[in-house]
Amino acid sequence: DAGVTQSPTHLIKTRGQHVTLRCSPISGHKSVSWYQQVLGQGPQFIFQYYEKEERGRGNFPDRFSARQFPNYSSELNVNALLLGDSALYLCASSATSDNGSPLHFGNGTRLTVT
Amino acid sequence: KQEVTQIPAALSVPEGENLVLNCSFTDSAIYNLQWFRQDPGKGLTSLLLIQSSQREQTSGRLNASLDKSSGRSTLYIAASQPGDSATYLCAVPSGSARQLTFGSGTQLTVLP
């Protein structure tokens, strides 16, 4: 079975631009979460979606948005990119919307903002 | 606000040693605790999930313990191998969503 897949794997953008990151969860998983990991730190929670509805939002500005599609895949959008948005963006899926099952992470998208 | 701390930040050991990684959290009212492994530039691999009602979980050479009352968890790695070299992260749920609060990780290097 395929794990969580993310695309693209690497991306270079310029300040002020917009970026869209994509995630496909493990088959059968309806919950998708997004995390930002800056070098040397643990991941920080951005969003959780379950059954196409936003279930949680972390402490990130409105420049960050996301959505989930009927097939449970998800997109993370970031507008007006700043240098500080450079990070590894991780997507995770789980079978349930609560904390009863483990999160499974993809390999991430490495975003560099110049 | 939940805070998770991992000590040490980095650890280097010779092959074959048994070792312990530490994780502490400030709010003991946790639902579970999860240990992850992260290879350089890669995503996170789930190693062990301990429910709040459990005290230990084992998978192969890995054993994780959980003491909610003291706000601590340990990850024990037996007979370490160079392939164990990676960053190990612990995380606990925060809030009602699938939000995990992570520690900053312990970077482990096992020398051949």
Side-chain angles (χ1 to χ4, degrees):
Chain A
D1 284 344
V4 178
T5 57
Q6 294 186 242
S7 63
T9 55
H10 295 83
L11 203 51
I12 299 175
K13 291 285 189 178
T14 304
R15 275 179 299 176
Q17 286 188 317
H18 162 271
V19 68
T20 298
L21 310 180
R22 295 178 175 82
C23 171
S24 293
I26 290 172
S27 178
H29 285 191
K30 299 179 180 180
S31 174
V32 170
S33 303
W34 288 94
Y35 286 78
Q36 180 196 66
Q37 187 178 24
V38 174
L39 196 63
Q41 298 181 19
Q44 298 285 322
F45 174 76
I46 310 175
F47 286 111
Q48 186 218 352
Y49 276 79
Y50 181 78
E51 292 275 19
K52 296 173 289 180
E53 291 189 0
E54 182 183 301
R55 291 296 186 94
R57 172 186 287 255
N59 189 23
F60 280 81
D62 292 344
R63 298 184 297 107
F64 288 77
S65 65
R67 57 179 175 168
Q68 187 176 32
F69 298 99
N71 66 353
Y72 305 114
S73 67
S74 178
E75 284 183 353
L76 176 69
N77 296 284
V78 186
N79 293 323
L81 285 167
L82 303 174
L83 294 179
D85 295 331
S86 296
L88 180 67
Y89 287 85
L90 296 163
C91 174
S93 75
S94 60
T96 62
S97 63
D98 59 22
N99 289 305
S101 58
L103 281 182
H104 299 272
F105 283 81
N107 281 330
T109 294
R110 172 71 63 187
L111 173 64
T112 302
V113 182
T114 62
Chain B
K1 178 188 171 186
Q2 178 75 269
E3 293 183 3
V4 180
T5 303
Q6 291 187 247
I7 295 174
L11 181 63
S12 183
V13 300
E15 182 177 4
E17 269 203 13
N18 302 323
L19 57 99
V20 174
L21 307 181
N22 297 295
C23 171
S24 61
F25 44 93
T26 54
D27 185 351
S28 62
I30 61 170
Y31 191 86
N32 56 41
L33 184 143
Q34 198 165 353
W35 281 94
F36 295 89
R37 167 186 172 137
Q38 186 172 32
D39 292 293
K42 300 294 186 182
L44 278 63
T45 300
S46 179
L47 297 174
L48 291 163
L49 173 72
I50 313 176
Q51 301 292 352
S52 60
S53 58
Q54 298 174 317
R55 292 191 63 85
E56 281 190 8
Q57 274 283 3
T58 299
S59 176
R61 294 182 294 108
L62 304 180
N63 175 275
S65 67
L66 175 63
D67 184 344
K68 281 182 56 178
S69 60
S70 67
R72 294 172 188 260
S73 176
T74 61
L75 180 67
Y76 175 83
I77 302 177
S80 59
Q81 303 170 359
D84 295 330
S85 298
T87 296
Y88 291 82
L89 297 134
C90 66
V92 294
S94 300
S96 57
R98 288 310 311 264
Q99 175 179 349
L100 294 183
T101 299
F102 284 84
S104 295
T106 294
Q107 185 176 1
L108 173 65
T109 302
V110 180
L111 303 170

